[in-house]
Amino acid sequence: MERVLVVGGGVVGTMHARQALLLGHSVIQVEADAAPRRASVRNFGLVWISGRAAGPELSLALRAREIWASIGRDVPGVGFRSDGSLTIAQAPEELAVLEAVAAADDAGARGVRMLDPATTRALNPAVKGELLGALLCTQDGVVEPGRVLPELRASFAATGRYEFRPSTSIADVGPGWAEDSRGNRFDADLVVICPGSRHEGVAASMLADAPLRRCRLQMMQTAPHPERLTTSLADGDSLRYYPVFARFPLEKLRPPSPLVTEHRIQLLVSQRATGELTIGDTHAYDEPFDFAVEEEPYEHLRSRVESLLGGPLPPVQRRWAGVYSQATDDRVCVRVSPAPGVVVVTGLGGRGMTLSPAVAEQTFAELGP
Ligand SMILES: Cc1cc2nc3c(=O)[nH]c(=O)nc-3n(C[C@H](O)[C@H](O)[C@H](O)COP(=O)(O)OP(=O)(O)OC[C@H]3O[C@@H](n4cnc5c(N)ncnc54)[C@H](O)[C@@H]3O)c2cc1C
């Protein structure tokens, strides 16, 4: 049995802790903040298979989805639901792209097929707005981002080989050791650093040449919606963001409005187990990021959801922004080993909640026995 130190309490660190425990190691996981409060708790909780690029990324996502389903059985508190998703076409050009995706070779593996408007409404009666058709993805799922990390940690504690130390910021690392900002030393056979978008600090020199950027997104959440959404939802603007669509005639889509272009807006909606709707998002890449959230994109997103649901949204109760770290080339994540026994994993982008269980499995497979 080896001693593994996991640096970072987000979902990527937590899935690496899970994998280390599965392999029989003992794990200390440290988190700089008093509790994880970054990307891993600010997201939609979407386990999003439909948009993944064909090939290795889709295979990894499908493996991750399998692991999420098994975590959902073992740790029901994470709230895994295999609800599926509907990407809704409200313009003929959007419909044409979705139909092309549904006709592609990997449609079966992806679990996608086209629905006409009546079938869409029968499947998800909360969708009462105007639509021309929808791409159903039966593989998409959802978890509760506010519950995943504490529920997983509680399940790890039962092994007797796991310890979580919040408010512990690792300042220096070398082969077989790490030291926190108060000078406390940790001896470990393996140090796995999962710093998320904190590219500065202990991981800075290790990531200096890595193809990474950060992205800031605006999100909001309503009061509980009176009706259950049986699937998550996406609108036609999401076609510009997911690699699966890039193979199809996107140039024929109507140009987006200046506001949508400026804030790179797409609509995604997931419903919490308790009924609230989590709605987003925008994409900003220019740093330093604004400290404030902008109202105009929220107004746009509200009108887009209302046009899909065909009625007014419940009041918005929470607004926030989140930042993720994203690999800028075609790799799924950045994984570097700057010294023996030290690995850094980040850059999963807007798919970290989805892919993290399979990325963690891959990290340990690459390290070997
Ligand atoms: C608004 C938003 C919506 C998203 N929606 C989805 C979605 O629906 N589905 C999906 O698949 N993905 C989604 N994502 C992406 C996903 O949330 C991220 O890819 C994922 O959470 C990244 O996890 P992480 O553990 O790498 O990073 P983080 O959650 O940022 O965690 C990293 C942690 O490491 C800690 N840390 C860093 N350095 C140190 C150190 N030196 N010592 C100790 N601790 C340290 C930080 O404090 C932090 O808590 C979304 C992201 C955002 C921002």
Side-chain angles (χ1 to χ4, degrees), residues 7-13 30-33 35-48 52 168-171 193-198 200-203 215 217-219 268 281 320-325 345-355:
V7 180
V11 72
V12 176
V30 298
E31 164 54 46
D33 293 332
R37 43 183 290 121
R38 297 176 185 239
S40 302
V41 298
R42 297 179 187 221
N43 59 57
F44 298 91
L46 290 169
V47 177
W48 200 248
R52 304 280 67 97
T168 303
S169 182
I170 295 299
I193 306 174
C194 304
S197 61
R198 278 187 65 181
E200 71 283 1
V202 70
C215 178
L217 297 79
Q218 287 192 195
M219 305 281 288
L268 296 178
D281 54 20
W320 67 93
V323 175
Y324 60 64
S325 163
V345 185
T346 191
L348 281 74
R351 55 200 173 175
M353 209 64 182
T354 303
L355 296 181

Side-chain angles (χ1 to χ4, degrees), residues 142-199:
V142 66
V143 293
E144 295 300 313
R147 299 298 317 149
V148 163
L149 303 178
E151 291 284 342
L152 282 174
R153 291 198 307 264
S155 75
F156 301 163
T159 64
R161 290 180 278 116
Y162 174 75
E163 191 187 332
F164 179 64
R165 293 200 200 168
S167 304
T168 303
S169 182
I170 295 299
D172 203 0
V173 176
W177 62 271
E179 196 173 278
D180 73 13
S181 53
R182 289 185 287 261
N184 299 311
R185 189 180 160 100
F186 297 81
D187 293 314
D189 303 294
L190 174 67
V191 182
V192 185
I193 306 174
C194 304
S197 61
R198 278 187 65 181
H199 297 164

